[in-house]
Amino acid sequence: MMVDRSVSSMWRYDVLSSVGREGRITMEEGWTPLLDAPRTAARIGCRRLLIKDESQNPTGSFKDRSASYTISHLRQEGAVGVVLNSTGNASAAFAAYAARASLPCVCVVPRDVLYANVLQIQLAGAELVLLDDWTDASRLSDEIAQVRGFQNVSASRTPHRIIGKMTIGYEIVEQLDGRFPDYVVCPTGGGTALLALKRAFEGIKLRGEVDGDVPRLVISQYEGCSPLVEAFRSGLSNVKPWPRIDTPRGGMRTPAPTMAPAVLDAISQGGAYAINPMQARKAVREMSSTDGVCLGLEAGTALAAVELGLKWEEIAADACIVIINSASVLKSELAAPDVFDRTSLQWEE
């Protein structure tokens, strides 16, 4: 794999070379730090714990990688606009990058979307569509795309999003001086990031760039929407649709992930854990107060999953473990409560 070391962003990797330098819609996303958490590692009983801190991306989440590459690629192909459905972070990212590319953007989000994402979407000038029935999101996005001639960039509708997120895996290996960690733990809704990591690590191994086994992949989900965990623990090759979502507002609200068979295959040598939100909040507080690293609530589920895996002896204590901090703690219910009128979607002066 060719690496342009003069570039301090995800665009340093040749996997993104289908977009020329002049065609990049970028805000220097990627090349986020890999932070040691030695006190937390000692507390939970593992040899080494690292946090890949994606909260330091421009809009505060790892969705910026997908947005940057996808918008760059689509503008190069002549797209006239984009539409997507997401629980918030992806919409905020695509709104920002679409604005930078001078493309109209329509964001379909649940009515209880977090205010941090509403603010980013509105400031970027994207059109905001609120849904009460989230099960209708995919149909509505497809309909808007067809009527307006826009590209649907929802997670299950474009191959470009996974390519941008593959750079997370490349960065982890480069930051570990050309070594694989033993485990990578990723908070997961639909599974795009998890599959991107798998593709990245397997590609590195296939090219003979790193010795040793590829990392075991582990996912975490909220108890109130954990179809992948239930399928994994039941030995199934596909999920049963989750009947009722009961999670904190924010990410990881995918009741029937379309990529489930591939995700379940990817974690077959790793693991899957369903976490109560209170466990996630406790994990966030404990890491922040000891190592000073503020995890988003989704990543709090990943840390709680590592604790469970170590306790149940499903994760080896002598391992090097990387947790993906997928989004800022400021984009979660742990941050300040909303202060805007949801009927008019205007923030108060």
Side-chain angles (χ1 to χ4, degrees):
M1 177 177 59
M2 298 294 293
V3 180
D4 183 352
R5 301 188 189 280
S6 69
V7 177
S8 296
S9 75
M10 74 172 194
W11 292 93
R12 65 199 279 117
Y13 301 108
D14 64 354
V15 69
L16 308 181
S17 62
S18 61
V19 176
R21 183 180 292 269
E22 297 303 315
R24 297 173 185 171
I25 307 301
T26 178
M27 291 186 278
E28 302 302 314
E29 55 291 320
W31 199 235
T32 55
L34 189 62
L35 305 173
D36 247 311
R39 291 180 177 176
T40 302
R43 176 179 63 81
I44 66 177
C46 68
R47 177 174 63 84
R48 192 178 188 194
L49 182 66
L50 298 159
I51 309 301
K52 182 61 171 164
D53 192 9
E54 292 293 287
S55 73
Q56 298 193 39
N57 279 301
T59 75
S61 85
F62 65 3
K63 306 292 185 179
D64 290 342
R65 296 177 186 262
S66 294
S68 176
Y69 179 72
T70 302
I71 292 293
S72 299
H73 201 283
L74 291 179
R75 193 181 72 159
Q76 184 172 269
E77 292 182 338
V80 298
V82 296
V83 58
L84 74 157
N85 58 270
S86 90
T87 52
N89 287 340
S91 285
F94 274 89
Y97 284 86
R100 198 166 178 85
S102 299
L103 287 175
C105 177
V106 180
C107 300
V108 179
V109 298
R111 184 165 294 277
D112 67 351
V113 61
L114 290 165
Y115 175 63
N117 288 317
V118 171
L119 181 60
Q120 289 179 308
I121 292 165
Q122 288 191 320
L123 290 176
E127 182 178 341
L128 188 66
V129 179
L130 294 179
L131 274 188
D132 291 307
D133 181 4
W134 191 236
T135 62
D136 200 35
S138 293
R139 182 203 62 78
L140 182 58
S141 297
D142 287 336
E143 182 179 296
I144 293 171
Q146 183 176 7
V147 169
R148 301 196 188 183
F150 288 1
Q151 294 290 321
N152 189 341
V153 294
S154 303
S156 61
R157 296 293 191 269
T158 173
H160 303 308
R161 287 177 61 159
I162 197 170
I163 296 173
K165 283 185 179 173
M166 286 172 64
T167 57
I168 300 172
Y170 298 142
E171 288 177 18
I172 288 171
V173 172
E174 188 176 355
Q175 289 167 323
L176 287 175
D177 297 323
R179 299 190 304 275
F180 287 129
D182 298 300
Y183 297 86
V184 176
V185 187
C186 188
T188 298
T192 300
L194 193 284
L195 294 177
L197 289 167
K198 178 177 185 288
R199 186 184 298 185
F201 293 138
E202 289 183 345
I204 291 170
K205 180 67 175 178
L206 186 64
R207 292 189 296 271
E209 296 170 352
V210 175
D211 294 328
D213 296 328
V214 297
R216 294 175 183 264
L217 299 177
V218 178
I219 65 168
S220 61
Q221 297 191 297
Y222 290 120
E223 282 182 344
C225 188
S226 53
L228 289 164
V229 178
E230 182 176 271
F232 175 83
R233 293 286 171 181
S234 300
L236 303 177
S237 59
N238 204 348
V239 297
K240 298 176 182 177
W242 198 259
R244 180 178 176 273
I245 297 173
D246 182 17
T247 70
R249 291 182 297 145
M252 303 202 301
R253 286 177 156 184
T254 308
T258 58
M259 298 179 287
V263 174
L264 291 167
D265 178 68
I267 63 174
S268 60
Q269 301 303 309
Y273 299 86
I275 302 300
N276 184 282
M278 292 305 295
Q279 291 176 283
R281 293 184 179 101
K282 181 175 182 288
V284 170
R285 285 196 302 271
E286 289 179 337
M287 175 168 280
S288 297
S289 63
T290 55
D291 282 303
V293 180
C294 289
L295 299 178
L297 193 57
E298 291 89 353
T301 69
L303 177 54
V306 172
E307 294 187 58
L308 278 181
L310 291 166
K311 179 180 178 181
W312 296 346
E313 298 185 346
E314 295 176 349
I315 293 177
D318 64 348
C320 173
I321 303 167
V322 174
I323 288 174
I324 308 298
N325 185 28
S326 54
S328 169
V329 67
L330 300 178
K331 303 185 83 171
S332 74
E333 283 195 334
L334 295 176
D338 288 353
V339 288
F340 74 107
D341 179 354
R342 290 185 178 276
T343 59
S344 64
L345 287 178
Q346 298 299 316
W347 57 89
E348 296 177 359
E349 296 292 344

